[in-house]
Amino acid sequence: MKLFLAICITTLSLSSCKNNPNQQEKTSDLVEDTSEIPNSKTDHQLRQVTKATITPELDGLAIDPAWQDIAWQPLDQKWLGEDYTAEDFSGKYKLTWTPEALYIIAEITDDVIYDKEDDPLTLWWDDDCLEIFIDADNSGGGHQFTHNAFAYHVALDGNVVDVAPGQVPTLYNNHVESKIVKTGENTMIWECKMTVYNDTYKDGGVNEPKILDVNQRLGFALAYCDNDTSAERENFIGSVAVPGEDKNRGWIDAGIFGTIELVE
């Protein structure tokens, strides 16, 4: 995930934790290896996303007219961790769009809600969080330390983290707005409004968001980091089936993302 194999953050540098499969980013002394990552993408899990005639209110409730006629999609692909029960975790989500943003609503059942790090830029992948993967031009390819694609980790407190070029953990709170509402003992609704940027995005620069339109295709995946008070996250559950034994590919390879097509 720009998250999956881990950045272990120290006070002065990112040190190596390459051998720990439960963490996410590679470390500062490693160079991104894109030699085996195709620069083109074959569409899979192609799904149409219907335009909202009335923009959803970002209130953490699934009762807006925009959500009423949209079917839930499962969040059920185990990317990391041991087998889990439905009581431990279950998830589903919906998507809609306007020209200004892509909207995501997810219903997450999680028996233990855990937020162990106060610093949003420290070990953020070990907290419970929703992760949104987006590839604005659906091109696939490597994106570990580039903005060829984004992997936004949306924390319980609303902070949004990704790794910027230069291997710098960075807040992108103006890219994703979120509202989280607890609707049952172990159930939460995460509602997000995501502004989409393409691979020309420059940190610290002036960037124009992508205007969304009918017939556009974007690379997209959703995932959830689940930690039930362990030292590290215990499960990582995604929306897309990843072939092969190594399913921990989203952090580096946008080619594993599904494809969404925007329709009226």
Side-chain angles (χ1 to χ4, degrees), residues 11 45 136 165 225:
T11 57
Q45 199 193 68
C225 291

Side-chain angles (χ1 to χ4, degrees), residues 31-43:
V31 176
E32 179 180 8
D33 179 8
T34 60
S35 59
E36 297 183 2
I37 299 177
N39 290 324
S40 61
K41 177 185 174 184
T42 300
D43 288 337

Side-chain angles (χ1 to χ4, degrees), residues 52 67 82 85 93 112 116 118 127 199 206 226 232 257 263:
W67 299 123
E82 302 297 326
T85 66
Y93 69 98
V112 178
K116 73 185 185 73
D118 293 331
D127 292 332
D199 57 8
V206 177
D226 187 19
E232 300 168 356
F257 300 177
V263 298

Side-chain angles (χ1 to χ4, degrees), residues 41-114:
K41 177 185 174 184
T42 300
D43 288 337
H44 54 97
Q45 199 193 68
L46 176 60
R47 290 175 174 161
Q48 292 186 329
V49 176
T50 305
K51 184 180 182 180
T53 55
I54 301 175
T55 301
E57 182 179 353
L58 202 65
D59 55 9
L61 302 175
I63 60 175
D64 293 271
W67 299 123
Q68 294 310 297
D69 295 325
I70 298 175
W72 289 102
Q73 302 293 341
L75 191 61
D76 63 355
Q77 299 296 312
K78 185 182 72 176
W79 288 351
L80 281 177
E82 302 297 326
D83 291 342
Y84 57 89
T85 66
E87 290 74 22
D88 181 18
F89 170 84
S90 64
K92 56 185 180 180
Y93 69 98
K94 298 181 181 186
L95 302 173
T96 191
W97 65 281
T98 67
E100 295 76 27
L102 186 68
Y103 288 82
I104 303 104
I105 193 162
E107 182 180 287
I108 302 297
T109 297
D110 184 0
D111 62 341
V112 178
I113 307 301
Y114 191 46

Side-chain angles (χ1 to χ4, degrees), residues 190-263:
W190 299 61
E191 190 169 22
C192 301
K193 174 186 176 182
M194 178 175 61
T195 305
V196 178
Y197 292 92
N198 62 24
D199 57 8
T200 65
Y201 186 88
K202 301 295 184 184
D203 291 274
V206 177
N207 299 281
E208 293 295 329
K210 184 179 181 70
I211 301 301
L212 303 180
D213 203 355
V214 175
N215 298 326
Q216 286 181 357
R217 289 189 175 187
L218 301 88
F220 176 84
L222 193 68
Y224 187 79
C225 291
D226 187 19
N227 188 344
D228 294 343
T229 74
S230 296
E232 300 168 356
R233 63 175 176 170
E234 296 163 13
N235 288 101
F236 188 47
I237 303 103
S239 63
V240 180
V242 180
E245 293 188 7
D246 180 12
K247 308 199 182 291
N248 189 4
R249 296 289 299 162
W251 67 288
I252 187 172
D253 183 3
I256 70 101
F257 300 177
T259 299
I260 56 175
E261 181 180 25
L262 307 182
V263 298

Side-chain angles (χ1 to χ4, degrees), residues 114-120 122-130 155-156 225-227 233:
Y114 191 46
D115 185 11
K116 73 185 185 73
E117 297 293 342
D118 293 331
D119 183 351
T122 299
L123 300 174
W124 59 89
W125 56 85
D126 285 332
D127 292 332
D128 286 347
C129 67
L130 194 70
L156 289 160
C225 291
D226 187 19
N227 188 344
R233 63 175 176 170

